[in-house]
Amino acid sequence: MKISAIQTFILIVFLFLGCKKNNNTDVIVTPVVPQLGVDEVGISGVVLNGDGSAASGVSVIIDGKSIITNSAGLFEYNGTVTNTDNVILRISKQGYFNYSKTLVVEKNTTLGGLKFYLRPELVAGTFNSVNGGTVTTSDARLVFQANGVLKEDGSDYQGTVSVKMRSFGSDEYPGDARGFSAAGEKMAISFWASFGIGLYGQAGEKLKLSKPMSYGFNMGWRSIYVSGTTSAWAFNETEGNWSANGSAKLNGDFLEGTTTRLTYLGWGTAYRPALLKAYVRDKNLNPATDFVFRNVPEEFTGGEQASPINSKGICLIYIPAGRPGRTAIFSQCGNRIALLGVGSIEPLAIGNQTFQVDLDTYITSITGKLEDCSFAPLKGKAEFVFNNKKYKSEIKNGVYNFSFINCSNSLGSNGALTLYDEQNKEIYKNTSTFFSIGIKNSIPPISPCTLLQKGNVNITLDGVTHIFQAPQDIVKFENVFVNGVMTTVIHAESEVNKKSFFITYVGESGGSFPIYTLGFSSPGKNYLMTWGSSYSPGSVSVKKFKVANTLIEGDFNSKITLNYSLDSPEKVFQSTGTFSITY
């Protein structure tokens, strides 16, 4: 069996899977420098279908400016906004409920990690407008009066009415917590639930109520927290806020009331508002960028409010004033990383509060080197793009570094690495630069050098010396970063003689090292140094490492097993060899 370079890599990965990850307690995160003017903001996120797949071609309007989601469901806006305290983001697509969210932003910052789900406008039932009728689902019961609907322009409508519904979670309601009481006072609402209702005529035209509609909304488990009567609210899609819409009374698990207003209804407890300016950072002052801040009143008198954390580690969120609360902070992957208390803030005031969280497992750092043919360090700049964010680093003394906060449910991911020389000329680009999540990564040295590697490798075993000599054979030296460890790999292959060889050790310097993997194959024979055998791994002695034009030079000595099999006795041979690879 021929041992290929891919098999070599698999062996290394397998053996390193159990290695302990690097400690990130001392890493300072590279700030994402917004490509913004001082008065601009950046807002980005993703729109998904109900099954979690990307929703492309969705209209996203931010402060009146239109964007269309790409094939990955992503949208991004960079520019000015009319009012940083009231930025309305609207989402729409034919066949789905319109949805809007009200954001509080800061100038010269980015607000990312926003995630929205499209909800289809499914017909829950129909009735005749002349006679009225009842539409019932597991979520709600709606009773419509006879001759109780009109066209949106106020003209009469007679015929079949299709009723479409959408239920929301307590943190998924439109707008934000802000609303107005019946007296016009500003309020902050802790919602228990919200519900979307759309009425459509036979030709698909939108309709509206002209007479009160009775409703019963199924609160389910939340009904145990509602005492008797609670406030009802209706959402103003134009203004992006809520206003008082009477009250609803609990009857069993159902909140019952009446309304003449659609499309979105909500139920919750209202308080005077306060703006919480939450600074969410770790002990090194790294910001919890794009994580989510969720606030719940201490007495649990309403549902939670949720808002993302911006590029400076700040969350701006309106909460009930005059009472303490609790916050749960979540990563972009949905992991709860902290449960902390929120202090009381006076009505209509801004409260600055700091929340320290542990971000160590979410910090990824990437360090690399740029060198010429003589291994001297080069200057320039480096860029790394991951999750639609661009990180920049100067290349000083041949070294560049990126560090950022992210999360992933996988062990590794890919980003785009680009290196430039001092004249800003691109000298290297790899759009699939692999790195491990949550650790310190080292990229193998990169060189714009175009010289070919040459040299020789030989191995002696069972009384026979096998020689690989460039250029007729492939002789190659490289460093490979695997799961937090830099590994040196020497590989040789003879296509003519159908032979191949590899040896690896953990490190990237000269000296003496235990051999980590060693293998040689020729027609009908496959030799492999096996861990856990009757012998210990051998050693490699590196006499020269990146000196003058020499990449690596040294020798090795180890026992090795022929055609290893668990079902047969080991056939062990002593192997020795040398290697010398240059430019």
Side-chain angles (χ1 to χ4, degrees), residues 26 212 320 348 424 438 492 504 515 543:
D26 60 342
L348 304 178
N424 208 34
T504 71
I515 296 173
K543 308 292 196 286

Side-chain angles (χ1 to χ4, degrees), residues 21 105 143 152 210 248 322 389 543:
K21 289 193 172 185
V105 300
V143 181
E152 281 210 314
S210 60
K389 292 184 175 63
K543 308 292 196 286

Side-chain angles (χ1 to χ4, degrees), residues 202-487:
Q202 295 171 152
E205 68 273 38
K206 292 194 73 172
L207 306 175
K208 65 181 182 179
L209 294 171
S210 60
K211 295 180 181 179
M213 174 196 77
S214 300
Y215 63 79
F217 179 78
N218 189 353
M219 292 288 288
W221 63 270
R222 292 164 292 188
S223 62
I224 64 174
Y225 296 104
V226 179
S227 178
T229 301
T230 190
S231 298
W233 306 86
F235 186 66
N236 185 322
E237 292 187 87
T238 302
E239 300 295 330
N241 55 44
W242 296 84
S243 58
N245 190 37
S247 62
K249 185 176 181 179
L250 189 68
N251 182 6
D253 287 342
F254 283 79
L255 275 176
E256 297 180 339
T258 62
T259 184
T260 57
R261 299 171 62 186
L262 303 174
T263 301
Y264 293 110
L265 306 177
W267 301 271
T269 309
Y271 307 90
R272 297 304 304 280
L275 179 61
L276 171 63
K277 188 172 186 178
Y279 295 80
V280 187
R281 298 164 180 176
D282 70 3
K283 59 186 176 298
N284 296 318
L285 300 184
N286 291 317
T289 301
D290 295 348
F291 281 40
V292 177
F293 188 99
R294 298 178 183 270
N295 183 76
V296 180
E298 185 65 46
E299 302 91 342
F300 207 52
T301 53
E304 64 184 18
Q305 298 115 318
S307 184
I309 299 167
N310 69 22
S311 55
K312 293 182 180 178
I314 298 171
C315 174
L316 296 162
I317 182 171
Y318 278 91
I319 66 172
R323 61 190 58 240
R326 291 173 292 166
T327 179
I329 298 170
F330 287 79
S331 73
Q332 305 101 314
C333 294
N335 314 109
R336 191 180 78 181
I337 67 168
L339 185 61
L340 304 166
V342 178
S344 175
I345 307 173
E346 291 297 313
L348 304 178
I350 299 175
N352 297 293
Q353 298 184 26
T354 299
F355 301 86
Q356 183 172 309
V357 294
D358 184 359
L359 299 176
D360 288 354
T361 58
Y362 298 95
I363 296 177
T364 297
S365 65
I366 299 174
T367 300
K369 298 177 182 178
L370 180 64
E371 56 191 25
D372 63 14
C373 292
S374 62
F375 318 116
L378 296 175
K379 296 179 180 180
K381 69 176 184 178
E383 292 181 349
F384 190 75
V385 178
F386 174 66
N387 272 356
N388 296 296
K389 292 184 175 63
K390 182 181 288 186
Y391 303 88
K392 296 184 177 182
S393 171
E394 294 295 320
I395 303 177
K396 297 179 180 180
N397 221 14
V399 177
Y400 57 89
N401 179 270
F402 310 100
S403 54
F404 48 88
I405 293 174
N406 71 293
C407 74
S408 174
N409 293 320
S410 63
L411 293 175
S413 192
N414 290 292
L417 175 65
T418 307
L419 303 183
Y420 302 86
D421 63 15
E422 290 185 278
Q423 285 71 47
N424 208 34
K425 178 183 177 182
E426 182 181 303
I427 56 177
Y428 176 85
K429 185 167 187 177
N430 183 352
T431 57
S432 298
T433 301
F434 180 83
F435 63 93
S436 296
I437 300 293
I439 69 171
K440 296 179 180 178
N441 296 263
S442 292
I443 301 294
I446 294 170
S447 174
C449 182
T450 57
L451 298 178
L452 297 178
Q453 293 187 20
K454 57 187 178 181
N456 62 82
V457 172
N458 72 74
I459 178 172
T460 300
L461 48 82
D462 198 15
V464 180
T465 299
H466 306 269
I467 300 174
F468 299 86
Q469 181 73 51
Q472 62 268 29
D473 300 325
I474 296 173
V475 175
K476 188 174 182 180
F477 154 85
E478 61 182 328
N479 289 123
V480 178
F481 181 78
V482 182
N483 202 28
V485 179
M486 189 67 78
T487 304

Side-chain angles (χ1 to χ4, degrees), residues 1-4 7 11 498 500 520-528 563-564:
M1 181 181 73
K2 180 178 176 181
I3 301 173
S4 67
Q7 287 172 304
L11 281 168
K498 307 300 181 186
S500 66
F520 171 79
S521 70
S522 62
K525 294 183 178 181
N526 185 42
Y527 296 86
L528 191 66
N563 297 333
Y564 176 76

Side-chain angles (χ1 to χ4, degrees), residues 497-520:
N497 297 320
K498 307 300 181 186
K499 298 179 180 180
S500 66
F501 164 87
F502 68 84
I503 186 171
T504 71
Y505 67 89
V506 177
E508 52 173 333
S509 65
S512 181
F513 303 89
I515 296 173
Y516 215 86
T517 58
L518 171 66
F520 171 79

